[in-house]
Amino acid sequence: MQTDYDVTVVGGGPSGSIAAEQLARRGYRVALVDPRNRIKPCGGAIPSRTLADFDIPEAVLVSRAAAARIIAPSGRKVEMRIGELGYVGMVDRSTFDPYLRERAVSAGARLLIGKLQDISTRDNGTLDLTVEPTSGDPQGAPITLRTRLVIGADGANSAVRRLAFPASRKPPYVFAYHEIVETPARPDPAQFQPDRCDVIYDGRISPDFYGWVFPHGEQTSIGCGSAVKGHNLRLATADLRHAAGLGDCKIIRREGAPLPLKPMRRWDNGRNILLAGDAAGTVAPSSGEGIYYAMLCGRLSANAVEQVLLTGKSAALRQARESFMRAHGRIFWVLGMMQTVWYRNDRFREKFVAMCADADVQRLTWESYLNKQLVRRDPFAHVRVFFKDIGQLFGMVANQK
């Protein structure tokens, strides 16, 4: 079976689904390939801006978070209320991703349930993609898709990246693991609140990242991440469940996957393939936030691919990364520095949590997160935070002498 497409999008998560929907709405022939056999481990947090930017109805949200509670290694807790700035929407990937894929199909994309096996290039520059069906039919024969361009939005272990890019071209990552449990009807409010996200900075939970307890309405995501080999993520997650008073809650599902934490230096192969989302490494350092950035990557990838289709100039593929880094490169650098400085050990984590109690830090954090840009309207607040950071660091150095 051979079919012709302008663009084939591999991966039906937030990035790939948005790319496929955008291109299909513009009248292009689009195939969307997704195995539909797994759910990415994810806290499920999206800023309220996401709903407006990508026309997401509030009905898709499983809950709203009005605060985050930061917990230090010593057990110190700092609650950061969002207030009038907005809220953090919570989604469950088991329902959110299929919703986005259905939008792409409604826009005109063809959804193929399968797993990419091979990519080959014809003499005329078109690509043949071999897709093995994963719909459960053991007699299902591999399908060959002929396409002009490919968007690889198939996650941190991207098959597109593996097949079309050098082995060295992959971002660094931590491994994330979480468990979805039933939310108790009457939880202890001192341990768990259904409108609050708990973020745990403790070397026993994660020696280099953090743990989380994120409410999803009737369900709750509990998990952690780490790049340290040998660290027992399941045991750490069990500790988080018990600390949140959720130890006896029924476990609905368990999921694990790598989580990239740095955008790749190049997302395209210079000809006809473009990476997007986790495949390109666009998960924010320090926070691990990826849904909004993945959806933005999908939109930017669709724009770049359309330029290639209109002009025939493959150099236009670079526009996706250039646009993304121009808008968010600085905040990714800041978050990367935060992770490098403050996540190194429990002494620094303790200081970091103490800083989160500061009113300037809280306001700038929420405004930057919700608006997806560094706050510029109050430069003196940045100066105050800067000197507080320096004071904390010099205090740490002095104490270690």
Side-chain angles (χ1 to χ4, degrees), residues 197-208:
C197 295
D198 284 358
V199 184
I200 299 90
Y201 295 101
D202 188 333
R204 293 166 295 185
I205 299 300
S206 172
D208 56 337

PDB file of all heavy atoms in Angstrom, residues 197-208:
ATOM      1  N   CYS A 197      -0.248  21.942  43.826  1.00  0.00           N
ATOM      2  CA  CYS A 197       0.824  21.060  43.352  1.00  0.00           C
ATOM      3  C   CYS A 197       1.968  21.074  44.364  1.00  0.00           C
ATOM      4  O   CYS A 197       2.444  22.154  44.746  1.00  0.00           O
ATOM      5  CB  CYS A 197       1.344  21.532  41.993  1.00  0.00           C
ATOM      6  SG  CYS A 197       0.128  21.441  40.666  1.00  0.00           S
ATOM      7  N   ASP A 198       2.401  19.899  44.796  1.00  0.00           N
ATOM      8  CA  ASP A 198       3.549  19.801  45.694  1.00  0.00           C
ATOM      9  C   ASP A 198       4.796  19.449  44.891  1.00  0.00           C
ATOM     10  O   ASP A 198       4.783  18.522  44.056  1.00  0.00           O
ATOM     11  CB  ASP A 198       3.317  18.728  46.753  1.00  0.00           C
ATOM     12  CG  ASP A 198       2.353  19.182  47.843  1.00  0.00           C
ATOM     13  OD1 ASP A 198       1.903  20.347  47.787  1.00  0.00           O
ATOM     14  OD2 ASP A 198       2.045  18.383  48.736  1.00  0.00           O
ATOM     15  N   VAL A 199       5.874  20.208  45.128  1.00  0.00           N
ATOM     16  CA  VAL A 199       7.162  19.974  44.471  1.00  0.00           C
ATOM     17  C   VAL A 199       8.188  19.719  45.564  1.00  0.00           C
ATOM     18  O   VAL A 199       8.373  20.560  46.446  1.00  0.00           O
ATOM     19  CB  VAL A 199       7.574  21.177  43.602  1.00  0.00           C
ATOM     20  CG1 VAL A 199       8.866  20.864  42.856  1.00  0.00           C
ATOM     21  CG2 VAL A 199       6.465  21.546  42.622  1.00  0.00           C
ATOM     22  N   ILE A 200       8.850  18.575  45.509  1.00  0.00           N
ATOM     23  CA  ILE A 200       9.713  18.135  46.600  1.00  0.00           C
ATOM     24  C   ILE A 200      11.169  18.154  46.157  1.00  0.00           C
ATOM     25  O   ILE A 200      11.550  17.440  45.207  1.00  0.00           O
ATOM     26  CB  ILE A 200       9.310  16.721  47.074  1.00  0.00           C
ATOM     27  CG1 ILE A 200       7.861  16.730  47.592  1.00  0.00           C
ATOM     28  CG2 ILE A 200      10.265  16.233  48.161  1.00  0.00           C
ATOM     29  CD1 ILE A 200       6.812  16.437  46.551  1.00  0.00           C
ATOM     30  N   TYR A 201      11.971  18.974  46.818  1.00  0.00           N
ATOM     31  CA  TYR A 201      13.405  19.045  46.563  1.00  0.00           C
ATOM     32  C   TYR A 201      14.116  18.350  47.712  1.00  0.00           C
ATOM     33  O   TYR A 201      14.315  18.913  48.789  1.00  0.00           O
ATOM     34  CB  TYR A 201      13.856  20.506  46.450  1.00  0.00           C
ATOM     35  CG  TYR A 201      13.271  21.228  45.265  1.00  0.00           C
ATOM     36  CD1 TYR A 201      12.194  22.098  45.420  1.00  0.00           C
ATOM     37  CD2 TYR A 201      13.776  21.025  43.985  1.00  0.00           C
ATOM     38  CE1 TYR A 201      11.647  22.756  44.331  1.00  0.00           C
ATOM     39  CE2 TYR A 201      13.233  21.677  42.893  1.00  0.00           C
ATOM     40  CZ  TYR A 201      12.173  22.535  43.068  1.00  0.00           C
ATOM     41  OH  TYR A 201      11.626  23.186  41.980  1.00  0.00           O
ATOM     42  N   ASP A 202      14.491  17.116  47.498  1.00  0.00           N
ATOM     43  CA  ASP A 202      15.081  16.281  48.538  1.00  0.00           C
ATOM     44  C   ASP A 202      15.936  15.223  47.860  1.00  0.00           C
ATOM     45  O   ASP A 202      15.439  14.470  47.006  1.00  0.00           O
ATOM     46  CB  ASP A 202      13.966  15.634  49.367  1.00  0.00           C
ATOM     47  CG  ASP A 202      14.470  14.895  50.601  1.00  0.00           C
ATOM     48  OD1 ASP A 202      15.630  14.437  50.584  1.00  0.00           O
ATOM     49  OD2 ASP A 202      13.707  14.777  51.574  1.00  0.00           O
ATOM     50  N   GLY A 203      17.217  15.149  48.240  1.00  0.00           N
ATOM     51  CA  GLY A 203      18.124  14.190  47.623  1.00  0.00           C
ATOM     52  C   GLY A 203      17.697  12.749  47.787  1.00  0.00           C
ATOM     53  O   GLY A 203      18.076  11.893  46.975  1.00  0.00           O
ATOM     54  N   ARG A 204      16.908  12.441  48.809  1.00  0.00           N
ATOM     55  CA  ARG A 204      16.414  11.070  48.971  1.00  0.00           C
ATOM     56  C   ARG A 204      15.356  10.734  47.926  1.00  0.00           C
ATOM     57  O   ARG A 204      15.187   9.567  47.558  1.00  0.00           O
ATOM     58  CB  ARG A 204      15.832  10.902  50.386  1.00  0.00           C
ATOM     59  CG  ARG A 204      16.873  10.986  51.490  1.00  0.00           C
ATOM     60  CD  ARG A 204      16.227  11.159  52.844  1.00  0.00           C
ATOM     61  NE  ARG A 204      15.516  12.438  52.934  1.00  0.00           N
ATOM     62  CZ  ARG A 204      14.939  12.886  54.042  1.00  0.00           C
ATOM     63  NH1 ARG A 204      14.975  12.159  55.141  1.00  0.00           N
ATOM     64  NH2 ARG A 204      14.312  14.062  54.048  1.00  0.00           N
ATOM     65  N   ILE A 205      14.631  11.758  47.463  1.00  0.00           N
ATOM     66  CA  ILE A 205      13.631  11.553  46.415  1.00  0.00           C
ATOM     67  C   ILE A 205      14.280  11.640  45.039  1.00  0.00           C
ATOM     68  O   ILE A 205      14.035  10.821  44.150  1.00  0.00           O
ATOM     69  CB  ILE A 205      12.502  12.592  46.539  1.00  0.00           C
ATOM     70  CG1 ILE A 205      11.796  12.438  47.894  1.00  0.00           C
ATOM     71  CG2 ILE A 205      11.516  12.458  45.397  1.00  0.00           C
ATOM     72  CD1 ILE A 205      11.166  11.073  48.120  1.00  0.00           C
ATOM     73  N   SER A 206      15.102  12.659  44.838  1.00  0.00           N
ATOM     74  CA  SER A 206      15.867  12.808  43.595  1.00  0.00           C
ATOM     75  C   SER A 206      17.175  13.522  43.901  1.00  0.00           C
ATOM     76  O   SER A 206      17.146  14.655  44.390  1.00  0.00           O
ATOM     77  CB  SER A 206      15.073  13.604  42.554  1.00  0.00           C
ATOM     78  OG  SER A 206      15.898  13.892  41.421  1.00  0.00           O
ATOM     79  N   PRO A 207      18.309  12.903  43.633  1.00  0.00           N
ATOM     80  CA  PRO A 207      19.595  13.545  43.918  1.00  0.00           C
ATOM     81  C   PRO A 207      19.959  14.674  42.969  1.00  0.00           C
ATOM     82  O   PRO A 207      20.909  15.420  43.237  1.00  0.00           O
ATOM     83  CB  PRO A 207      20.595  12.391  43.789  1.00  0.00           C
ATOM     84  CG  PRO A 207      19.942  11.417  42.880  1.00  0.00           C
ATOM     85  CD  PRO A 207      18.467  11.526  43.139  1.00  0.00           C
ATOM     86  N   ASP A 208      19.201  14.844  41.879  1.00  0.00           N
ATOM     87  CA  ASP A 208      19.579  15.869  40.905  1.00  0.00           C
ATOM     88  C   ASP A 208      18.377  16.536  40.231  1.00  0.00           C
ATOM     89  O   ASP A 208      18.545  17.378  39.361  1.00  0.00           O
ATOM     90  CB  ASP A 208      20.476  15.268  39.820  1.00  0.00           C
ATOM     91  CG  ASP A 208      19.833  14.082  39.116  1.00  0.00           C
ATOM     92  OD1 ASP A 208      18.943  13.447  39.706  1.00  0.00           O
ATOM     93  OD2 ASP A 208      20.227  13.780  37.977  1.00  0.00           O
TER      94      ASP A 208
END
